[in-house]
Amino acid sequence: MSEQTERDGDYEKHGGFPVYRHDPDNGGPHFGRLVEALRVVQDLAVSTAAPPEVVEKAAEQAEALAALLAPYTAPEGQYPAGRSLELPGRGSLLMLPWTAERLGAEGVRATGVFRRYHMGGNGAAHGGVLPLLFDDLFGSVTHAYGRPISRTAYLHVNYRKITPLDTPLKVEGKVDRVDGRKTFVSARLTDEDGTLLADAEALMVVLLPGQP
């Protein structure tokens, strides 16, 4: 946590966000298993051409799973999805299944792959998932730097090369400068050989007290 944040003394009170706390046991020992199984189902749902009777059975099982989980919905910040730091994508199906390898004031580095679920066409990752990757990364970058809760004011992505599926990739981001409530950040997405696939820059703005 930065010196400025320590002086503020109210890091978790900025904006109208609920207080998020990491709880590795919140989902129990099988939560990671559930999330991965659901990711596989997502991959299969967009890449299979099953006969009608199989689709019918799959729909019934999906509806049964939804009915099983529905009674346990919880308020934001009280469920394990998004708070399970040890899981890819922090255990959130919305987030890409990437894992942070470095998280500090000097920057954030994460590794992962784009799966079949993320395909746009012709074997490449959908262009829309790259802004999601960068936006989520920039949230981690500002947090690791010690900045209070912030929202994305703008996000610009440069697509340098086709981003492949099922290929280990790396994304690195950092804070470039701070100006009052503004935090300017940038990041690069590369393959294992260091080839630049995309880069991005963004402006993150610290929320005012009570601001959603």
Side-chain angles (χ1 to χ4, degrees):
M1 189 171 291
S2 72
E3 180 181 345
Q4 178 63 49
T5 300
E6 290 176 349
R7 286 200 302 268
D8 289 345
D10 60 349
Y11 174 84
E12 292 175 320
K13 296 179 182 178
H14 285 272
F17 275 68
V19 175
Y20 297 96
R21 299 194 186 282
H22 174 51
D23 183 359
D25 299 322
N26 188 34
H30 301 295
F31 181 69
R33 175 185 166 194
L34 171 63
V35 172
E36 175 57 22
L38 291 173
R39 289 194 190 280
V40 173
V41 169
Q42 287 181 319
D43 291 334
L44 293 172
V46 300
S47 62
T48 56
E53 63 273 15
V54 173
V55 173
E56 179 183 18
K57 185 176 181 180
E60 291 172 351
Q61 293 185 3
E63 290 166 351
L65 176 59
L68 175 66
L69 295 175
Y72 304 99
T73 56
E76 182 181 358
Q78 295 183 25
Y79 41 74
R83 299 193 299 136
S84 300
L85 304 183
E86 69 283 357
L87 296 179
R90 302 188 303 281
S92 170
L93 287 176
L94 174 64
M95 296 300 107
L96 296 161
W98 288 46
T99 303
E101 292 189 339
R102 184 185 69 201
L103 191 69
E106 73 283 358
V108 175
R109 179 176 64 232
T111 57
V113 302
F114 289 101
R115 299 167 65 140
R116 186 63 181 268
Y117 180 68
H118 307 119
M119 185 172 73
N122 201 25
H126 194 292
V129 298
L130 269 67
L132 175 61
L133 174 67
F134 284 123
D135 192 50
D136 186 56
L137 178 79
F138 287 146
S140 297
V141 167
T142 55
H143 176 74
Y145 193 78
R147 296 289 281 167
I149 296 293
S150 303
R151 286 280 196 188
T152 307
Y154 75 74
L155 173 65
H156 179 84
V157 178
N158 297 305
Y159 298 87
R160 306 297 186 179
K161 288 184 177 294
I162 295 299
T163 300
L165 300 179
D166 300 316
T167 301
L169 303 175
K170 175 177 66 176
V171 65
E172 295 183 278
K174 61 182 178 65
V175 170
D176 293 326
R177 63 187 177 92
V178 173
D179 181 8
R181 292 171 56 208
K182 300 177 180 178
T183 307
F184 296 87
V185 292
S186 61
R188 291 165 48 90
L189 174 67
T190 62
D191 62 18
E192 287 189 314
D193 296 326
T195 301
L196 180 64
L197 304 176
D199 55 69
E201 61 182 49
L203 169 60
M204 311 295 287
V205 178
V206 174
L207 294 179
L208 297 172
Q211 187 175 5

